[in-house]
Amino acid sequence: MSTPRIVVTGRIPDSGLEILQSIGEVWAWGDDRPIPTEVRNAQLADATAAVTLLTDQVDVAFLAAAPELQLVANVAVGYNNIDVEACTARGVTVTNTPGVLTDATADLAMGLLLMVTRRLGEGERLLRSQTPWKWGMFMMLGTGLQGRRLGIVGLGGIGVALATRARAFGMEIVYHNRSAADAAIERQLGASLVGLDELLATSDVVSLNCPYSPATHHLIDAAALSSMRPSAFLINTARGPIVDEAALVSALQDGTIAGAGLDVFENEPEVHPGLIDLDNVVIVPHLGSATVETRGAMAELAAKNVAAVLAGRAPITAIN
Ligand code: DGY
């Protein structure tokens, strides 16, 4: 049997690369810039497995360049960058990295929630701009979290981890899902399932934790935003296009909602210019899973999926 050839389309932590190197011949694009398509296609020509990032489009053209491909191991939990149907039709296994980034992403969501409700970004900008200030009873008042309602759209692993954190801050949890969570999880979180309309209309903070798909494209549009409370905040650590960003900018400008904390953007890496100018929005560059430990664990899980499939075993975290 010939040595499998594994193509890694971006820079990943060494711990993942080391596992891959113990399985086969590895070629890795060692740069943070996106891999040029012609370089990628030349490498895919005899690739058995591809390890991809969320910035790669694994589409029909990608598959056409890789006639021997058996597996695409995405180093991300989200896989909206992959045409799973086309992979399945070609007999190519697709895997992702759920679980290992749950805590890091929930921490980030909680961080955005605290930043926007307590106006921390605004406070930091004030000091960094060396604007004169002194303590005042009414200076930069934010919103407390105790007794407030957090509405989670998509109560998967990350949603549950965020709810657990929010409960420790005294928040009440409601959620919207296609189906009800386990009764034990509902009990543990004191959470109840509500319709999306009710969640939007009654929550003080709405957090998006659902996958992106055609069904969730612009789930939060102008109508959804206008059904939220003027005092409410929106947090998005899922995928940018779940929100109609232009509608969000208008809603933040005209006070339809109070603020937003965003880790993801509709046209990443671009950020809507309207968001940059607003004080009631916190924006960070897709940092959900960006801890040393988590990125290492993601690379290792992707590599272990490659090892399993190339050894003829079932993948650990398969999508198709
Ligand atoms: C994922 O894995 O889908 C995250 O967005 C990465 O931070």
Side-chain angles (χ1 to χ4, degrees):
M1 216 177 69
S2 60
T3 312
R5 199 154 174 285
I6 304 160
V7 170
V8 185
T9 59
R11 217 153 75 79
I12 64 167
D14 287 347
S15 56
L17 275 181
E18 280 157 22
I19 296 173
L20 294 172
Q21 279 152 354
S22 71
I23 309 164
E25 182 198 320
V26 178
W27 181 90
W29 173 250
D31 206 312
D32 285 325
R33 282 174 309 129
I35 184 171
T37 307
E38 51 303 347
V39 176
R40 182 200 76 183
N41 287 354
Q43 293 300 330
L44 286 175
D46 56 356
T48 326
V51 176
T52 56
L53 305 184
L54 59 84
T55 42
D56 294 306
Q57 286 310 312
V58 181
D59 51 14
V60 172
F62 184 107
L63 294 172
E68 291 168 35
L69 201 66
Q70 292 178 24
L71 167 73
V72 175
N74 210 35
V75 190
V77 66
Y79 51 89
N80 55 295
N81 59 312
I82 298 180
D83 184 339
V84 178
E85 218 174 288
C87 288
T88 308
R90 259 280 309 274
V92 173
T93 301
V94 180
T95 63
N96 66 342
T97 60
V100 292
L101 46 73
T102 297
D103 283 324
T105 309
D107 287 347
L108 196 279
M110 196 67 216
L112 289 175
L113 198 166
L114 286 165
M115 277 189 79
V116 71
T117 54
R118 294 301 302 274
R119 304 174 62 174
L120 301 184
E122 237 181 296
E124 237 233 345
R125 282 192 294 281
L126 180 90
L127 294 194
R128 285 188 186 277
S129 65
Q130 301 192 342
T131 308
W133 69 283
K134 61 177 189 284
W135 186 90
M137 184 64 91
F138 296 98
M139 185 191 173
M140 240 176 231
L141 302 187
T143 303
L145 299 181
Q146 295 70 29
R148 304 279 177 180
R149 175 175 281 200
L150 170 63
I152 296 183
V153 180
L155 194 74
I158 296 169
V160 169
L162 172 62
T164 306
R165 285 151 176 76
R167 287 274 290 175
F169 283 81
M171 297 189 83
E172 172 206 331
I173 313 294
V174 294
Y175 71 98
H176 174 69
N177 255 10
R178 271 172 307 194
S179 50
D182 279 358
I185 289 180
E186 283 196 342
R187 258 197 317 279
Q188 172 200 323
L189 301 174
S192 42
L193 176 67
V194 295
L196 183 61
D197 291 348
E198 183 181 340
L199 182 147
L200 293 172
T202 64
S203 295
D204 299 296
V205 180
V206 172
S207 175
L208 305 177
N209 298 99
C210 53
Y212 175 62
S213 70
T216 58
H217 179 77
H218 283 189
L219 183 71
I220 304 301
D221 57 7
L225 289 161
S226 64
S227 72
M228 288 171 66
R229 296 175 166 181
S231 55
F233 297 88
L234 178 72
I235 306 296
N236 189 5
T237 53
R239 283 293 182 268
I242 298 171
V243 177
D244 177 341
E245 217 164 75
L248 176 62
V249 170
S250 303
L252 290 164
Q253 282 167 341
D254 66 19
T256 302
I257 65 169
L262 308 173
D263 183 39
V264 288
F265 303 91
E266 189 165 358
N267 300 304
E268 270 179 48
E270 277 163 45
V271 177
H272 193 296
L275 293 173
I276 309 276
D277 297 333
L278 286 167
D279 251 337
N280 55 347
V281 60
V282 175
I283 45 175
V284 294
H286 204 147
L287 297 178
S289 63
T291 69
V292 173
E293 300 82 354
T294 301
R295 289 284 161 82
M298 290 165 72
E300 287 159 34
L301 178 53
K304 286 177 187 167
N305 272 310
V306 175
V309 171
L310 297 188
R313 299 192 307 270
I316 305 162
T317 49
I319 297 303
N320 59 352

